[in-house]
Amino acid sequence: MNRLLLISFFSLLITGVVTSFSWRATFENVEKVHVSLTSIEDVLYRLGDQKMNHTINELDLEKAKIGEDLIYFGRTDRKGKKSKRISAYFVCTDCHNMSSEYSDLKSQNPSERLAYAENNGLKFLPGSTLWGIYNRTSFYNGDYVQKYGELVDDARNSLENSTQLCAKYCSSGRHLEEWELEAIMHYFKKNEIMIKDLNLSEDDLSLIVNYQRLNDKKREKLITAIKNEYVQGYAATFLETMPRDKRKYGEGGNVENGKLIYDKACMFCHENKRVTYLHLDDGKLSGKMFWQNIKTYNDRSLYQIIRHGTFSKTGRKQYMPLYTEEKMSDAQLNDLVAYIKLIAKKK
Ligand code: HEC
Ligand code: HEC
């Protein structure tokens, strides 16, 4: 009898331990899913990181919708009237995508950016994406100081100031009014990065779930691990026009990539003179125009225009933004030249 009691006691104990284990595991999995749907900002803050200086504590979806209008159309309907356009020449989406641009958010590699654009139907633009910009902490990095001089001083560490800089100078427009800036910030908040967008390990996810048990040192380590999974500020390297003796003139270039770049970058702005007087298409005429200038150092040379863009001249405020090395590599430029050569010589 005693023995039987003992056995049943043990078996009860074992089932108890086993079920509590699996309960725990299930509980932890539910928590992991929950955490993956949390914003990076919330998780970092929980772990003891400082708030960013543009932090928005409560997302206002109505404001975010107005921000979306401003970004896509440059204006919105307000009090039954159309608001004044930010720029007569551009909207934000002429130069910036509004979705993720890399499958791996720590990447800044232009080939990965092009492949991602191909697979996800995105444009290949000179500006960085505004998706996830809410989570970045430095702007107009690297060589942009050459282009915008001391204007970048106030913009480097401020999302609001860099938005103002871009609205006025990059988009040849004007400074935003208070309500416009606020609406755009709410739109940025709405498009912030979530934990699920990062490639965190299962172990790191467990640590996040159980963060209350971590000491300060471990929390700091976890903050670093999270921040290492996405870019805090995009690098920007300006390149000089490639000297003639270094140009490969398309030799060895990948024509398919070249076509992608031409379609997703050049034609997006130039086809049917969308934002400029210069019409480009994939016909022989456009090809020949570029091919005839391929050895020169003027604006119609691909080697020159891509690295320098154009300046907004007095009287004409449209200008072409340059491509940094991070946004178009020299190898990609060579791919583009290979494609241009092909269409120039088309029968
Ligand atoms: C004609 C092109 C163009 C237009 C139009 C434009 N931008 Fe930009 N913007 C750029 C370029 C180029 C940069 C340089 C830095 C980068 O994005 O990598 C930039 C930078 C920024 C930055 C800082 C990004 C960073 O990571 O450094 C913000 C924020 C920004 N723009 C917001 C806007 C908003 C909002 C609009 C619309 C009101 C707008 N931009 C319109 C070209 C443009
Ligand atoms: C964000 C829009 C945009 C993109 C992308 C773009 N351009 Fe431009 N491009 C312009 C604007 C605006 C001008 C200025 C022309 C003007 O004054 O209207 C210009 C000017 C030029 C000019 C100089 C015209 C001249 O006679 O001075 C060339 C050549 C040119 N672009 C080629 C390209 C090529 C090649 C690409 C692809 C790598 C490209 N553009 C991508 C907007 C763009």
Side-chain angles (χ1 to χ4, degrees):
M1 193 58 191
N2 266 355
R3 224 165 140 182
L4 210 69
L5 251 177
L6 216 63
I7 291 174
S8 36
F9 174 74
F10 271 114
S11 48
L12 261 177
L13 194 73
I14 287 167
T15 350
V17 169
V18 170
T19 43
S20 93
F21 255 137
S22 61
W23 263 109
R24 249 192 119 168
T26 327
F27 181 69
E28 176 151 326
N29 281 337
V30 171
E31 282 296 291
K32 275 187 187 165
V33 172
H34 189 238
V35 145
S36 65
L37 297 173
T38 311
S39 69
I40 304 185
E41 181 179 37
D42 282 355
V43 169
L44 289 177
Y45 187 54
R46 242 183 257 169
L47 292 170
D49 197 29
Q50 282 181 354
K51 290 215 167 180
M52 298 177 290
N53 52 27
H54 58 260
T55 284
I56 288 177
N57 288 319
E58 216 170 310
L59 171 64
D60 180 327
L61 285 173
E62 254 169 63
K63 286 182 182 158
K65 177 71 186 73
I66 293 172
E68 183 175 339
D69 284 351
L70 295 173
I71 283 180
Y72 282 85
F73 312 114
R75 53 160 48 151
T76 186
D77 286 322
R78 197 160 180 255
K79 299 173 189 154
K81 277 200 343 218
K82 281 207 188 326
S83 66
K84 194 167 144 256
R85 281 191 63 154
I86 297 171
S87 160
Y89 312 99
F90 295 111
V91 291
C92 313
T93 46
D94 287 332
C95 302
H96 298 281
N97 280 313
M98 291 297 142
S99 52
S100 172
E101 291 188 328
Y102 305 87
S103 52
D104 179 351
L105 295 186
K106 48 182 186 298
S107 174
Q108 303 200 43
N109 178 313
S111 327
E112 289 171 24
R113 189 169 180 252
L114 184 63
Y116 195 82
E118 180 182 16
N119 295 329
N120 295 277
L122 303 180
K123 305 297 172 207
F124 194 63
L125 302 177
S128 306
T129 179
L130 298 182
W131 178 85
I133 196 166
Y134 183 79
N135 303 93
R136 284 181 240 152
T137 47
S138 77
F139 315 94
Y140 286 102
N141 298 309
D143 292 335
Y144 272 108
V145 63
Q146 291 176 28
K147 184 152 185 174
Y148 296 109
E150 59 190 24
L151 289 172
V152 304
D153 292 349
D154 292 337
R156 282 248 155 106
N157 301 311
S158 159
L159 179 56
E160 292 181 353
N161 293 347
S162 44
T163 302
Q164 288 289 26
L165 195 167
C166 209
K168 180 156 169 71
Y169 297 97
C170 298
S171 27
S172 307
R174 58 168 170 83
H175 282 132
L176 303 167
E177 289 177 30
E178 198 69 40
W179 65 271
E180 291 175 310
L181 182 59
E182 198 189 0
I184 288 180
M185 289 298 141
H186 277 269
Y187 182 70
F188 289 161
K189 167 78 182 163
K190 185 169 171 241
N191 290 283
E192 68 187 326
I193 306 178
M194 307 305 248
I195 292 291
K196 71 174 162 53
D197 300 314
L198 306 179
N199 289 322
L200 286 172
S201 66
E202 286 295 312
D203 285 352
D204 281 342
L205 283 179
S206 300
L207 288 176
I208 297 176
V209 167
N210 298 304
Y211 78 97
Q212 272 157 324
R213 294 188 216 147
L214 304 180
N215 61 27
D216 286 353
K217 223 170 156 184
K218 289 209 166 123
R219 287 184 189 195
E220 238 164 72
K221 242 182 99 184
L222 190 54
I223 290 176
T224 311
I226 295 172
K227 288 190 176 174
N228 282 341
E229 286 300 317
Y230 64 96
V231 172
Q232 316 285 301
Y234 282 105
T237 312
F238 287 11
L239 294 180
E240 266 314 315
T241 303
M242 193 183 280
R244 245 180 232 140
D245 59 344
K246 293 256 166 59
R247 301 182 188 178
K248 291 193 198 150
Y249 299 109
E251 187 78 34
N254 178 320
V255 178
E256 278 107 68
N257 276 348
K259 178 173 167 46
L260 275 178
I261 295 168
Y262 193 65
D263 290 353
K264 290 177 168 297
C266 319
M267 295 227 316
F268 173 59
C269 284
H270 286 276
E271 192 171 28
N272 301 321
K273 310 184 181 179
R274 199 174 64 79
V275 301
T276 149
Y277 69 83
L278 176 70
H279 165 77
L280 294 176
D281 60 29
D282 55 7
K284 196 170 168 149
L285 225 57
S286 299
K288 268 174 97 173
M289 186 274 284
F290 282 120
W291 196 246
Q292 279 162 2
N293 286 284
I294 203 71
K295 296 206 163 143
T296 68
Y297 286 84
N298 69 39
D299 275 358
R300 301 222 156 174
S301 159
L302 289 171
Y303 292 101
Q304 168 92 10
I305 189 77
I306 286 167
R307 293 307 179 206
H308 289 272
T310 62
F311 279 93
S312 41
K313 304 157 196 122
T314 26
R316 266 197 91 69
K317 289 187 114 189
Q318 286 101 321
Y319 76 101
M320 175 167 151
L322 60 85
Y323 277 82
T324 60
E325 184 177 23
E326 290 78 9
K327 298 295 189 258
M328 196 186 300
S329 66
D330 278 341
Q332 288 175 325
L333 175 43
N334 191 50
D335 294 344
L336 176 61
V337 175
Y339 175 67
I340 291 294
K341 184 176 175 184
L342 187 82
I343 59 173
K345 312 233 149 140
K346 233 171 17 189
K347 291 257 157 53

